C-alpha cells in the first residue's frame, strides 16, 4: 500500500510551547492530507483536511488558530499545535491521498504521541 | 462516528473464528474500510469493500451488503497477536468523501 511517514513518533513539550508534526507521502503525490486525533480508548476523529496550495478545511469544533496546517508541497503537510496545553495531549495521525476516490487515504502514518506537561 | 455501530468488545479463543459486525446509515456510500489497531500504534489497513460480497485476504475476510448497511470482518484461525482494536470506517458523499470511523471493537484472544 501507499507509504505515509510521520515524524516525530513521540514528543513531550512544556505547556505553552508549540509543536510541529510532519506528514510525508513517500511514493506518491498527495493532493490531500487528513489529520486525525485519537484520545485514549476512543476512535479516530478527523480534525482537518489539508489541500496542497490552499487553506485547510477544519472540522467543527477544531480551532484553526490553535492547530495550524501547512501543505506547501505535494508530499508534505505539517500540523503545528500552538500554545499547547495538557488537554492537547493525544495521538495525532495523518493520512494522504491522491485523486478523489483513489483509496490511498486508507493508509496512515505511524502517528505522533504528544504529551504536554 | 456518525451512525456507525460496532460492538465494544469481543472475546474469542485462539484457533477459533470470530466475526465483528459493523452497521451504518449514510447516503452516497462510497466504500467501507476495516483497520486493525494495536494499543499505542496507528491503524493498519486490512480491507476495503465498495461492492456487495465477500473479499478474502488470507485469514481475514470482509463482507458488505449495501442494501442492509452492514459489513462484517471475519478472522479465522485466531492467534494471540490478533488481540487488538478493529475499526470500521465508512466513506460517503454525505461526509464529503472523507473517512468516518466507528468507535472500534476491542478483540481479546485467549488461549
Amino acid at each position: 500500500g501507499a507509504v505515509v511517514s510521520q515524524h516525530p513518533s513521540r514528543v513531550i513539550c512544556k505547556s505553552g510551547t508549540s509543536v510541529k508534526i510532519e506528514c510525508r507521502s513517500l511514493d506518491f503525490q498527495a493532493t490531500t492530507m487528513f489529520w486525525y486525533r485519537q484520545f485514549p480508548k476512543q476512535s479516530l476523529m478527523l480534525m482537518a483536511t489539508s489541500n496542497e496550495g490552499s487553506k485547510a478545511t477544519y472540522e467543527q469544533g477544531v480551532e484553526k488558530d490553535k492547530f495550524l496546517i501547512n501543505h506547501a508541497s505535494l508530499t508534505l503537510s505539517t500540523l503545528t499545535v500552538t500554545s499547547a496545553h495538557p488537554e492537547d495531549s493525544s495521538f495525532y495521525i495523518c493520512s494522504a491521498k491522491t485523486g478523489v476516490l483513489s483509496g490511498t487515504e486508507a493508509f496512515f502514518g505511524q502517528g505522533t504521541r504528544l504529551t504536554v506537561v | 462516528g456518525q451512525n456507525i455501530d460496532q460492538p465494544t468488545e469481543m472475546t474469542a479463543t485462539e484457533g477459533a473464528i470470530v466475526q465483528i459486525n459493523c452497521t451504518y446509515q449514510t447516503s452516497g456510500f462510497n466504500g467501507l474500510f476495516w483497520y486493525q489497531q494495536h494499543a499505542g500504534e496507528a491503524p493498519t489497513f486490512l480491507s476495503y469493500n465498495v461492492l456487495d460480497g465477500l473479499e478474502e485476504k488470507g485469514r481475514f475476510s470482509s463482507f458488505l451488503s449495501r442494501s442492509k448497511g452492514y459489513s462484517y470482518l471475519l478472522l479465522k484461525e485466531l492467534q494471540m497477536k490478533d488481540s487488538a482494536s478493529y475499526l470500521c470506517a465508512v466513506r460517503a458523499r454525505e461526509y464529503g468523501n472523507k473517512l468516518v470511523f466507528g468507535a472500534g471493537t476491542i478483540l481479546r484472544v485467549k488461549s
Side-chain angles (χ1 to χ4, degrees):
Chain A
V3 180
V4 179
S5 177
Q6 196 171 333
H7 177 81
S9 58
R10 286 181 180 275
V11 59
I12 301 173
C13 72
K14 290 185 178 180
S15 188
T17 61
S18 295
V19 173
K20 181 185 285 188
I21 302 169
E22 293 186 347
C23 180
R24 294 181 186 272
S25 57
L26 298 185
D27 56 357
F28 66 101
Q29 292 187 324
T31 53
T32 306
M33 289 187 174
F34 300 94
W35 287 97
Y36 295 83
R37 180 168 52 182
Q38 186 178 33
F39 290 107
K41 299 187 178 180
Q42 295 186 23
S43 193
L44 277 74
M45 296 299 293
L46 180 65
M47 298 175 66
T49 303
S50 166
N51 299 298
E52 188 268 336
S54 65
K55 289 184 179 180
T57 304
Y58 291 81
E59 298 299 305
Q60 196 171 6
V62 178
E63 299 175 56
K64 61 180 181 181
D65 294 330
K66 180 168 184 63
F67 298 99
L68 300 179
I69 291 173
N70 184 286
H71 192 160
S73 78
L74 284 171
T75 58
L76 173 65
S77 175
T78 60
L79 168 68
T80 301
V81 183
T82 63
S83 187
H85 290 287
E87 56 265 31
D88 298 325
S89 298
S90 186
F91 193 43
Y92 293 86
I93 315 173
C94 71
S95 68
K97 77 170 187 177
T98 179
V100 177
L101 294 175
S102 66
T104 52
E105 71 270 39
F107 301 95
F108 291 91
Q110 304 94 318
T112 298
R113 174 78 55 195
L114 170 64
T115 303
V116 184
V117 298
Chain B
Q2 302 96 299
N3 301 321
I4 300 172
D5 294 310
Q6 48 183 133
T8 305
E9 294 184 13
M10 298 181 73
T11 302
T13 305
E14 194 175 14
I17 298 173
V18 71
Q19 178 175 312
I20 303 174
N21 296 325
C22 174
T23 58
Y24 63 90
Q25 291 179 305
T26 190
S27 59
F29 174 83
N30 264 328
L32 187 142
F33 301 73
W34 281 98
Y35 293 86
Q36 179 191 64
Q37 186 177 27
H38 286 101
E41 299 180 10
T44 302
F45 171 74
L46 291 178
S47 69
Y48 167 66
N49 295 71
V50 67
L51 300 176
D52 290 350
L54 189 68
E55 294 282 340
E56 296 185 80
K57 200 184 288 186
R59 292 191 299 115
F60 293 7
S61 303
S62 58
F63 171 83
L64 175 68
S65 168
R66 288 173 297 171
S67 62
K68 294 181 181 177
Y70 167 69
S71 173
Y72 67 71
L73 180 69
L74 193 71
L75 292 76
K76 303 177 186 176
E77 301 169 17
L78 277 175
Q79 302 174 9
M80 299 299 287
K81 67 178 183 180
D82 296 330
S83 294
S85 181
Y86 291 85
L87 306 175
C88 169
V90 172
R91 182 174 62 193
R93 277 200 305 276
E94 177 185 355
Y95 307 142
N97 284 320
K98 304 169 195 174
L99 294 185
V100 175
F101 286 81
T105 299
I106 297 172
L107 174 65
R108 295 189 175 87
V109 180
K110 58 181 184 179
S111 57

